[in-house]
Amino acid sequence: MMKLLAALAGTGALAAVLAHGQPATDTVDAQIQRDLHFHIAELADDTYAGRAPGTPGEDKTIAWLKKHFAELGTQPGNGDSWVQEVPITAVTSAPTAVLEIRGPDFSADLAYGSEMMVATQQQVASTGIKDSELVFVGYGINAPERGWNDYAGIDVTGKTVVVLINDPGFATQDPALFNGNAMTYYGRWDYKYAEAARQGAAGALIVHETDAAAYPWEVVRNSWSGAKIGLSADNRHKDKLAVEGWVPRAQAEALFKAVGLDYQESKRAARQAGFKARPLGGLSASVQLENTLADHLSRNVAALIPGSAYPDEVIIYTAHWDHLGVRPDDEGDNIYNGASDNASGVAGLLAIARQLQAQATPPERSVLFLAVTAEESGLLGSKFYSENPIFPPAKTVANFNMDNIAAGNIGRTRDVAVVGYGNSELEDYLARAAEAQGRVIVQEPYPEKGYYYRSDHFSLARVGIPALYLTNSTDSVEHGKAWGDTRLRDYTANHYHKPSDEYDPAWDLSGAAQEVMLLLQMGRELAASRDFPSWNEGVEFKRAREASLQP
């Protein structure tokens, strides 16, 4: 922290950090901005080593959160404990793996990092595929309710499927196909691997394209190198694929060309209902993964403000505390500090806790602050909570999630961007809070990126809990929308999941504070009501909510 304070000298943020504990005679907005600067600066410090689960960086993070939640006067949220233990296993595959592609007249050895990325969810010392036939299965989707099955008429048992990222709606921009430009869960990589495993495949290779994936190859390389963390399983996840991988489009185009197929024509065919999967001309894949395993008890942090009238009913605020840790093989700066992603969201939890504790009377319903682990590894901490809830879903009124709320540092905006716009009645509460700020609600700027399925609210939504996730609004009050769009795109291209996502004391966190205040106001309103907001008609989570409410 001394290095931090030295860096802050001469900036307005120094006063913000030093005044962190100043009495609340200042405005709520100013106090929230101070809290955000204070906690982001700490949690994104190099001494936290990128906050990877199962490392000393986790221990330091958990200690900081427990200390500050206690100082704010909240109570342990899991009985008499501040934590919920989450058993995880880290699988680190040696980066020396080579993906060998062989065919009658073709041979290629794809290099780890630049030409492919491979990993496994199987928690075993060694696994791989050997001479596994490659099969192109289009988008790899089996969606009976949409009359779509890319696996119809083909047996992929023991084979390796080649899969396109995103879904046919995005590819065609047809609003009548899937959700048009807005990605569905069928477009997400984790769905594609899970479906391939259900179909009996041994491996799956997703073709990376920046527009369809919503991030550049560097994000795949950075996110998929190092340890892959999963929830520990008695069967060591041997029901998962032996190999999960990605290849850049250039490598995919070469494979298709080798067997006399045009990649773009094959993509166009896959966009049509009735697409037929086909083997890739006798090509086969081999790769061996040698893994180092480490079992850990990671932790979700849970802090509670008990309800004064209805303590068994709860509103949950979530944010993930983890990031990507340290990558020793990276040249130069190899600490992935995750300042915006997601020290900013965790700081938001603490800022809201301070404001609710400062109320003259406690909320009538309980409020749970849940800082979850291993989001970057597949929403694992929130998934574990949804399967082992402290409060049952039927008694959980709503979830408000904060993730990457400082991205782009756009400052105050005229708009409020909603991920999964139109999903639930929580947007009625949002409308009132946004109107009080003089702002308008809009659909997220990039629905094709599938953000609704990429953060922790999704785990709670899947068990029926109405969940609201706001993303970075771009219509800057000071500079306009085009400027805000450029700032956000620059963050995604140059800082997201990269070592450069570092705290800067010059950050304008007024926009992040706007989001915190919206969620604070909605939580206050819900905590004082008897309402149980519901999902809107046609939303995939509505059935789970109705089932959870049955006596």
Side-chain angles (χ1 to χ4, degrees):
M1 283 297 289
M2 292 307 297
K3 289 192 296 182
L4 167 67
L5 294 178
L8 291 173
T11 73
L14 176 60
V17 171
L18 293 177
H20 168 69
Q22 179 176 317
T25 56
D26 212 341
T27 66
V28 170
D29 173 77
Q31 180 65 66
I32 289 174
Q33 289 194 54
R34 279 197 300 274
D35 284 345
L36 294 177
H37 274 287
F38 181 76
H39 293 295
I40 296 171
E42 174 68 22
L43 293 170
D45 189 83
D46 281 358
T47 59
Y48 285 73
R51 303 189 307 279
T55 69
E58 168 171 353
D59 297 336
K60 193 172 176 65
T61 302
I62 300 305
W64 179 266
L65 294 177
K66 289 166 62 175
K67 174 180 184 291
H68 286 276
F69 275 123
E71 288 179 353
L72 290 171
T74 65
Q75 297 182 12
N78 187 21
D80 59 359
S81 176
W82 290 101
V83 301
Q84 179 186 49
E85 292 184 339
V86 179
I88 60 171
T89 298
V91 181
T92 304
S93 300
T96 53
V98 175
L99 179 60
E100 300 174 356
I101 308 294
R102 301 289 184 265
D105 299 302
F106 183 81
S107 176
D109 293 339
L110 303 186
Y112 184 93
S114 59
E115 297 177 313
M116 63 84 177
M117 290 302 297
V118 288
T120 185
Q121 292 189 63
Q122 293 187 2
Q123 297 166 353
V124 295
S126 180
T127 189
I129 51 177
K130 179 68 174 175
D131 299 327
S132 178
E133 182 182 356
L134 293 182
V135 180
F136 177 55
V137 294
Y139 287 91
I141 294 171
N142 180 19
E145 77 283 4
R146 296 176 183 266
W148 195 285
N149 185 3
D150 287 326
Y151 288 96
I154 194 163
D155 182 5
V156 298
T157 303
K159 301 174 184 179
T160 294
V161 297
V162 177
V163 192
L164 301 172
I165 192 61
N166 214 309
D167 62 42
F170 171 80
T172 62
Q173 297 292 295
D174 180 355
L177 190 61
F178 286 74
N179 284 357
N181 186 52
M183 183 191 287
T184 66
Y185 185 53
Y186 293 116
R188 289 284 294 148
W189 55 264
D190 49 343
Y191 164 78
K192 295 176 187 294
Y193 292 136
E195 186 59 40
R198 283 189 288 268
Q199 296 290 336
L205 299 174
I206 295 176
V207 180
H208 174 269
E209 297 192 53
T210 297
D211 288 345
Y215 37 76
W217 176 255
E218 288 80 8
V219 171
V220 176
R221 184 187 62 206
N222 293 342
S223 301
W224 283 69
S225 58
K228 294 293 290 180
I229 299 170
L231 295 178
S232 301
D234 291 340
N235 70 351
R236 306 307 278 175
H237 287 308
K238 291 182 179 179
D239 55 333
K240 305 290 187 182
L241 296 173
V243 174
E244 298 177 348
W246 293 77
V247 293
R249 184 178 69 181
Q251 276 62 46
E253 289 174 338
L255 298 183
F256 278 71
K257 183 178 180 180
V259 297
L261 295 175
D262 181 87
Y263 173 71
Q264 294 297 336
E265 288 182 3
S266 299
K267 274 181 63 178
R268 284 191 287 272
R271 299 170 183 173
Q272 309 302 317
F275 162 79
K276 300 297 183 184
R278 58 178 297 174
L280 280 180
L283 292 181
S284 64
S286 300
V287 64
Q288 189 67 21
L289 297 177
E290 301 300 331
N291 308 314
T292 301
L293 307 180
D295 292 326
H296 303 281
L297 279 178
S298 190
R299 289 152 288 182
N300 293 332
V301 176
L304 183 71
I305 300 177
S308 60
Y310 308 101
D312 61 330
E313 298 174 4
V314 69
I315 296 152
I316 301 179
Y317 289 96
T318 50
H320 72 92
W321 59 255
D322 66 297
H323 200 53
L324 301 178
V326 178
R327 302 293 165 82
D329 295 331
D330 286 6
E331 294 183 3
D333 184 3
N334 58 13
I335 301 175
Y336 289 71
N337 302 85
S340 183
D341 183 16
N342 184 36
S344 66
V346 176
L349 291 182
L350 291 156
I352 290 174
R354 176 194 289 274
Q355 295 302 321
L356 288 178
Q357 285 292 79
Q359 292 181 168
T361 57
E364 294 185 11
R365 285 167 156 165
S366 294
V367 178
L368 181 67
F369 301 95
L370 196 62
V372 294
T373 184
E375 188 267 359
E376 301 290 6
S377 302
L379 316 182
L380 300 183
S382 57
K383 182 176 186 290
F384 185 85
Y385 178 87
S386 72
E387 296 170 352
N388 304 272
I390 297 170
F391 288 83
K395 293 293 187 178
T396 303
V397 179
N399 167 232
F400 299 116
N401 186 47
M402 289 178 287
D403 192 355
N404 218 341
I405 64 175
N409 282 278
I410 293 166
R412 299 186 194 280
T413 63
R414 299 180 182 90
D415 56 345
V416 180
V418 179
V419 183
Y421 179 78
N423 270 355
S424 81
E425 293 175 353
L426 289 175
E427 290 176 31
D428 297 337
Y429 295 82
L430 176 62
R432 290 190 285 274
E435 183 179 10
Q437 290 186 344
R439 302 167 73 196
V440 296
I441 299 174
V442 298
Q443 185 183 42
E444 59 187 299
Y446 312 118
E448 70 277 10
K449 297 181 185 294
Y451 284 132
Y452 201 85
Y453 312 102
R454 291 169 57 177
S455 194
D456 293 299
H457 61 283
F458 179 55
S459 297
L460 279 68
R462 291 182 75 173
V463 296
I465 298 166
L468 184 71
Y469 176 37
L470 306 181
T471 193
N472 306 98
S473 307
T474 57
D475 190 2
S476 165
V477 170
E478 185 175 358
H479 301 287
K481 182 168 174 50
W483 179 89
D485 286 340
T486 299
R487 292 277 295 182
L488 190 55
R489 289 182 185 277
D490 175 74
Y491 169 81
T492 302
N494 298 311
H495 305 292
Y496 174 65
H497 280 201
K498 295 180 181 177
S500 58
D501 183 6
E502 295 191 278
Y503 172 69
D504 184 339
W507 275 1
D508 178 359
L509 294 177
S510 59
Q514 275 185 312
E515 179 170 327
V516 169
M517 286 189 287
L518 284 176
L519 300 181
L520 169 65
Q521 179 55 35
M522 285 186 280
R524 280 174 168 161
E525 184 177 350
L526 274 172
S529 80
R530 300 303 302 133
D531 294 345
F532 273 81
S534 65
W535 297 100
N536 292 333
E537 290 298 330
V539 175
E540 59 263 47
F541 313 114
K542 187 176 180 65
R543 183 177 300 176
R545 181 60 163 179
E546 292 172 344
S548 75
L549 297 175
Q550 293 299 314

